[in-house]
Amino acid sequence: MVCTWCVHGVYMVCTWCVHGEFAYLCAGDKDSVKFESRVAAAVTFKWHLDEESKSVVQILLLAVRPRFRRRGLGRKLMQLVMEPEVSGDYSALITWADHSAEEFFTRFGFSDDPVLTRKYYVITDSWDNSTFMCALPMFDLAVLKRDPGENISKGFMEQMAGEAEVWKDMMVDAYHKQCGIFEKMKGQIMLLQNRLLWAQRENKEAREEVEKLRSEKAAIQHEFDEYRKLSKVAHRKQAKAGAEKELQKMMEDCKLDGKKKPS
């Protein structure tokens, strides 16, 4: 394994190297990587302190050359990072995983559960097109590294009890938040339901008003049609009466003209 410090000791790099056709884990310092070696895979990680001043390890990069994939190199590097001898005593592992790598990290206990990740979200910058995930160690690493002569069992149980209380508080807090969100959702649903009922009532009244206007329009149109028919009949009668009167006048004029003729 090659552990190289850079940027004032913030990053550590563990690399697999390939000599010829054989892949093997280099041991020692960076000088063990010779000119004829080729880097097949690498992982970089960084340390943070959470709000409780506990160490948190962020995995920044984990990559394997395409030709060396499916050989367990990525799995071996992850196992190395999770070792306290490499990463020190940490309370959590975090990473921004590409969507295609989520399944890989899930196999090592990482989760994107917002209840678990919300505590660590503020200590790291967000990455684009990635999912924030975290993994918690099953046991407190500091307790397991105590001197064998100490009362490990008692310390372990006390630590487990403390962590159980923390988890209980976190779950209660998450439950209260979920209840608050549920109540807000219920209120919004009831408000939307009332608005929907009001809109349906308004729509029904509008439809009834439209039907009423249509009926009134039909009645007015009927009356207008009847008026037009009666007007036409009256006009015809008036025209006929005028024509008859004119004809009668003409006939009277003709009779008067006949009487005035000499015998």
Side-chain angles (χ1 to χ4, degrees), residues 17-238:
C17 299
V18 177
H19 182 73
E21 294 297 326
F22 301 96
Y24 62 95
L25 183 64
C26 296
D29 56 15
K30 62 182 180 180
D31 295 333
S32 61
V33 182
K34 304 301 182 180
F35 177 77
E36 64 272 12
S37 301
R38 294 184 59 191
V39 175
V43 61
T44 65
F45 52 94
K46 176 181 179 181
W47 288 275
H48 298 278
L49 291 178
D50 61 12
E51 56 188 14
E52 299 176 359
S53 299
K54 293 184 178 180
S55 177
V56 177
V57 177
Q58 179 183 1
I59 298 175
L60 301 172
L61 169 69
L62 176 60
V64 180
R65 288 183 182 272
R67 62 174 295 187
F68 298 110
R69 293 175 182 172
R70 305 296 179 183
R71 299 189 183 184
L73 302 185
R75 181 178 68 252
K76 181 62 177 179
L77 289 178
M78 277 297 302
Q79 292 172 349
L80 286 172
V81 173
M82 298 176 75
E83 288 292 334
E85 291 78 8
V86 176
S87 303
D89 298 334
Y90 59 88
S91 61
L93 287 167
I94 61 175
T95 188
W96 285 93
D98 293 340
H99 299 315
S100 59
E102 292 180 17
E103 183 179 355
F104 171 81
F105 284 100
T106 301
R107 292 199 294 267
F108 291 92
F110 282 78
S111 171
D112 60 352
D113 189 333
V115 176
L116 299 178
T117 58
R118 68 180 181 88
K119 177 180 178 181
Y120 310 105
Y121 192 85
V122 297
I123 65 176
T124 177
D125 297 328
S126 60
W127 293 24
D128 295 333
N129 301 320
S130 302
T131 302
F132 188 59
M133 307 180 73
C134 75
L136 304 179
M138 185 175 299
F139 305 104
D140 188 282
L141 302 177
V143 172
L144 296 181
K145 291 175 63 178
R146 288 180 180 175
D147 185 88
E150 298 183 27
N151 191 348
I152 300 296
S153 177
K154 181 179 179 180
F156 176 74
M157 293 303 297
E158 291 177 352
Q159 182 68 26
M160 288 294 293
E163 293 183 358
E165 288 296 323
V166 172
W167 274 103
K168 184 177 72 172
D169 293 341
M170 290 178 60
M171 295 302 295
V172 171
D173 182 47
Y175 173 75
H176 287 168
K177 291 183 177 180
Q178 291 175 357
C179 289
I181 294 174
F182 176 77
E183 290 297 328
K184 290 181 180 179
M185 291 178 60
K186 185 173 71 172
Q188 291 294 327
I189 291 173
M190 293 178 65
L191 178 62
L192 291 175
Q193 185 179 18
N194 292 333
R195 290 182 178 178
L196 178 61
L197 292 176
W198 178 83
Q200 290 176 345
R201 183 168 58 253
E202 290 291 322
N203 189 26
K204 181 180 179 181
E205 293 177 356
R207 288 201 304 268
E208 292 176 352
E209 186 67 21
V210 169
E211 290 298 328
K212 182 180 178 181
L213 292 175
R214 285 178 179 175
S215 300
E216 293 178 355
K217 178 183 177 182
I220 293 173
Q221 185 68 38
H222 179 71
E223 291 179 1
F224 179 72
D225 293 340
E226 291 295 326
Y227 171 77
R228 290 182 62 184
K229 290 180 181 179
L230 294 175
S231 297
K232 289 180 180 179
V233 172
H235 180 71
R236 289 175 183 174
K237 288 182 178 181
Q238 186 178 4

